[in-house]
Amino acid sequence: MNSSTDPRAKFIALYPALAQVQPSLAELGAALAPMQVPAGAVLFSENAPCQGFPLVLEGEVKVSRSSGDGRALELYRVVPGELCLVSSACLFRTQPMSAHGMTTKASTLLLIPAEVFRRWLETPAFRNEVLGLFAERMADLTSLVDAVAFHKLDQRLAAALLGHGQLLAVSHQTLADELGTVREMVTRLLRRFEREGWVSLGREQIQIVNGPALRALAATLGAAA
């Protein structure tokens, strides 16, 4: 099969360690056919058994953790060439999933069965890649914990509004989900920003009126730690 059309070749290009694993992708054949998943599909849920280890060929997966009151905090996103920390941790310890994953756009995935994943870990290159993932993701999660625990919500909201142009088509609920808080808190802060003349609020849109003021508030993130 031509390598330009063979999905296995694309996966190996994104995840070079797969060239050394046993059993190989070629040996597994049709048992590991890529899946086409629409945007908004739930790939795994909190407290559910792990169904396998996802590899992303195209698209993106958002991994979040929910609270008892319905709030959600985004932990990280998995794009082509990256690995899912929650899935690997679940398979390492044979425990339920500690977060949920959802596609943010139409995606192409390969779901590696648990028994195959464990056999692949016997390959040093693949094992090192997975352990390297833990180090990278832990650094990301440490930064997230720092932001949630030590930075004020108004500072984080100001930072979230920047870098997307003058007009943001986003709901208060979406911002609340990204910041790990409730919609009412975001709405209250946005109205304060509007009173200050920093933003103008519309129906599911926010216009940046005074970018320098928002940047000045967001710049205090580092000083607040």
Side-chain angles (χ1 to χ4, degrees):
M1 184 180 294
N2 190 306
S3 61
S4 62
T5 60
D6 184 357
R8 291 190 297 267
K10 293 182 180 179
F11 275 111
I12 291 175
L14 288 168
Y15 304 96
L18 296 183
Q20 303 179 41
V21 295
Q22 294 294 327
S24 68
L25 291 177
E27 290 171 333
L28 291 168
L32 284 183
M35 303 182 302
Q36 305 296 325
V37 184
V42 176
L43 298 180
F44 51 85
S45 303
E46 289 181 55
N47 301 316
C50 185
Q51 300 301 314
F53 188 75
L55 297 178
V56 181
L57 178 60
E58 297 174 350
E60 181 182 70
V61 177
K62 179 172 69 173
V63 180
S64 307
R65 184 168 173 81
S66 299
S67 64
D69 58 6
R71 290 182 293 166
L73 178 64
E74 180 179 323
L75 301 179
Y76 57 86
R77 299 197 179 200
V78 184
V79 298
E82 295 184 351
L83 303 176
C84 179
L85 174 62
V86 168
S87 296
S88 56
C90 174
L91 291 171
F92 269 133
R93 304 189 65 184
T94 318
Q95 292 184 339
M97 304 296 288
S98 59
H100 62 270
M102 177 182 293
T103 54
T104 61
K105 59 186 73 173
S107 303
T108 303
L109 308 168
L110 197 64
L111 188 64
I112 309 302
E115 62 274 15
V116 173
F117 174 79
R118 294 188 182 99
R119 288 188 62 186
W120 282 3
L121 287 175
E122 298 173 5
T123 302
F126 183 75
R127 184 172 63 250
N128 290 340
E129 190 164 326
V130 173
L131 293 176
L133 149 81
F134 272 86
E136 293 176 9
R137 289 301 190 199
M138 282 304 298
D140 293 341
L141 293 179
T142 298
S143 297
L144 177 61
V145 169
D146 178 69
V148 171
F150 301 113
H151 299 325
K152 287 185 177 181
L153 184 59
D154 59 351
Q155 298 166 339
R156 295 193 289 125
L157 177 58
L161 295 175
L162 297 170
H164 306 287
Q166 292 296 112
L167 187 64
L168 287 74
V170 62
S171 69
H172 296 189
Q173 184 62 59
T174 297
L175 286 170
D177 291 343
E178 292 180 1
L179 296 172
T181 186
V182 295
R183 178 184 56 79
E184 290 78 7
M185 287 295 296
V186 169
T187 297
R188 188 180 306 165
L189 287 173
L190 286 173
R191 287 174 178 166
R192 193 191 91 191
F193 289 179
E194 188 173 43
R195 290 195 300 271
E196 297 285 349
W198 299 350
V199 302
S200 176
L201 303 179
R203 183 175 179 81
E204 293 200 353
Q205 69 176 27
I206 302 169
Q207 182 176 0
I208 305 301
V209 178
N210 190 341
L214 289 174
R215 281 192 290 274
L217 177 59
T220 62
L221 281 171

